[in-house]
Amino acid sequence: MAVSSSPILSPFRMKITATEFVSPSSTLPRINFCNNRRQSPAVVLASKSEKESWSEAKRVLMEQYGFNPDEALSPEPSPNGKRKKKLKESGRGVEITPKEPKAARTTHKLLTVLGGKARRMKLLSPKGMDVRPMMEVVKGAAFDILQAAGGCPASLRPGRWLDLYSGTGSVGIEAISRGCSEVHFVEMDPWVVSDVLRPNLEWTGFLDMSVIHTVRVEKFMERAQKLAGKEPFDYISVTPPYMEVEYAVLMDQISSSDLVGEDTFIVVEYPLRTDMLDSCGCLVKITDRRFGRTHLAIYGPKWAQKKKKKEKSLRGAAVEI
């Protein structure tokens, strides 16, 4: 015989009466419903604890009224699981999107040493436009002018060369190939130094004649005496990224530094619509040429300018004869 417990009010406003059968053979609950509205439906549960019996009663009632008990009774996910990452500072409320991995930087051999003992040797350069080497036609013209201005058309006057914004190192390597005794390369990109510049110097055999400074040009200029010595350079090449420098400020910084001496030559590559002064400190402009959208200015001592004018007058006299 079953013993009835006290009535339990269900979520559906129905009275549920839980009873337990004395008989030990009953293992499953027995549920009886009364459809008479005047009489509350009774649910008879056997051989179950009160908590388990109540859970099963809820499932049966939900199925009877058309609900899915698995969805209704499943625990709700924690709100922390749905919470998206937000910016903690000024960008609060903006979702942080994961950054796409950068493509691996690669190189190819497109540059060539134009003259001297390393002539025709191929040099590495990065693919893409993040590093823009000096065009070979511009480089060839610059060295021809320097050799003629120095009084030795076959090679450069021996001396030290400073290659600012060196990148691949093609200008400094050309200088060593044509007679310079030492070149200081200034390049701030560690990958360019390790994967392009240094391999080019090893390939040409000029590593022992080179000094690499992995630092920004502005920082190098501030510590020039400590990094490169007190003696001025014989040659300085300036080939910066066009849109990332202010040429007036840069040239003023170079001309007022101890890097420039009375006999120094400065090679500057610059874009269109850039005003370059006729002098750089104690140096005068020897030439200013245009190669498409690229301009090439060379500053040097006054004696080099006089020698160039004398050569022009001699050529004109030879033509008249």
Side-chain angles (χ1 to χ4, degrees):
M1 184 175 180
V3 181
S4 298
S5 63
S6 59
I8 303 173
L9 186 62
S10 76
F12 301 99
R13 297 181 180 179
M14 302 174 65
K15 289 184 179 180
I16 301 174
T17 303
T19 62
E20 290 190 5
F21 283 89
V22 179
S23 174
S25 61
S26 301
T27 58
L28 295 176
R30 187 176 64 191
I31 304 171
N32 296 327
F33 293 99
C34 296
N35 295 329
N36 190 358
R37 292 184 180 180
R38 296 180 180 178
Q39 186 178 0
S40 302
V43 180
V44 181
L45 304 176
S47 301
K48 294 288 182 180
S49 66
E50 184 176 350
K51 186 176 181 180
E52 292 176 351
S53 301
W54 172 241
S55 176
E56 291 191 10
K58 287 195 294 183
R59 294 181 66 88
V60 172
L61 289 173
M62 287 183 179
E63 288 178 355
Q64 182 179 359
Y65 284 89
F67 293 96
N68 187 347
D70 293 329
E71 294 180 358
L73 299 177
S74 60
E76 295 183 359
S78 172
N80 294 331
K82 295 183 178 180
R83 188 175 299 166
K84 297 181 179 179
K85 289 185 178 180
K86 307 290 182 182
L87 292 176
K88 294 183 179 179
E89 299 177 356
S90 59
R92 200 168 187 178
V94 180
E95 295 183 10
I96 301 176
T97 56
K99 294 182 179 179
E100 295 182 359
K102 292 183 179 180
R105 300 172 75 179
T106 56
T107 60
H108 51 186
K109 285 191 174 183
L110 291 181
L111 303 177
T112 307
V113 181
L114 302 178
K117 50 190 174 184
R119 184 183 178 188
R120 295 180 181 176
M121 293 188 73
K122 294 290 185 180
L123 301 177
L124 293 171
S125 62
K127 292 182 179 180
M129 295 299 293
D130 52 344
V131 176
R132 184 191 52 78
M134 178 183 279
M135 293 188 300
E136 293 189 349
V137 62
V138 180
K139 182 173 67 174
F143 279 92
D144 289 344
I145 295 169
L146 290 174
Q147 290 175 183
C152 185
S155 62
L156 287 173
R157 291 185 303 116
R160 297 196 310 155
W161 188 293
L162 175 61
D163 189 3
L164 299 177
Y165 305 97
S166 58
T168 64
S170 65
V171 176
I173 290 173
E174 190 77 32
I176 299 175
S177 180
R178 295 188 184 227
C180 277
S181 57
E182 181 183 84
V183 174
H184 287 249
F185 298 89
V186 182
E187 172 56 47
M188 70 173 187
D189 191 331
W191 180 85
V192 173
V193 171
S194 62
D195 287 46
V196 182
L197 176 57
R198 187 177 291 276
N200 282 339
L201 292 172
E202 293 174 349
W203 166 245
T204 53
F206 296 155
L207 186 59
D208 294 338
M209 306 169 68
S210 306
V211 181
I212 301 174
H213 305 277
T214 310
V215 65
R216 295 183 67 89
V217 169
E218 295 80 5
K219 295 294 183 181
F220 176 83
M221 300 291 291
E222 294 174 1
R223 299 180 292 166
Q225 289 189 356
K226 184 178 180 180
L227 296 175
K230 297 182 179 179
E231 293 295 324
F233 283 90
D234 299 282
Y235 304 94
I236 300 176
S237 57
V238 185
T239 57
Y242 288 163
M243 307 305 295
E244 296 183 14
V245 297
E246 185 68 35
Y247 276 85
V249 177
L250 176 62
M251 296 307 298
D252 180 69
Q253 190 177 12
I254 292 174
S255 63
S256 61
S257 69
D258 296 330
L259 301 173
V260 180
E262 295 180 354
D263 297 329
T264 301
F265 288 89
I266 302 178
V267 179
V268 185
E269 185 184 36
Y270 66 96
L272 287 172
R273 301 180 182 88
T274 302
D275 296 328
M276 298 295 292
L277 298 177
D278 293 332
S279 62
C280 181
C282 61
L283 307 177
V284 295
K285 186 186 290 184
I286 297 176
T287 187
D288 195 340
R289 295 188 182 182
R290 177 179 175 180
F291 300 86
R293 294 180 295 176
T294 299
H295 276 256
L296 175 70
I298 297 180
Y299 297 90
K302 294 180 180 179
W303 57 261
Q305 189 181 44
K306 293 178 180 179
K307 184 178 292 187
K308 186 177 180 181
K309 290 181 178 178
K310 186 177 180 180
E311 289 178 356
K312 283 186 177 180
S313 62
L314 291 175
R315 290 176 184 174
V319 170
E320 290 179 0
I321 296 173

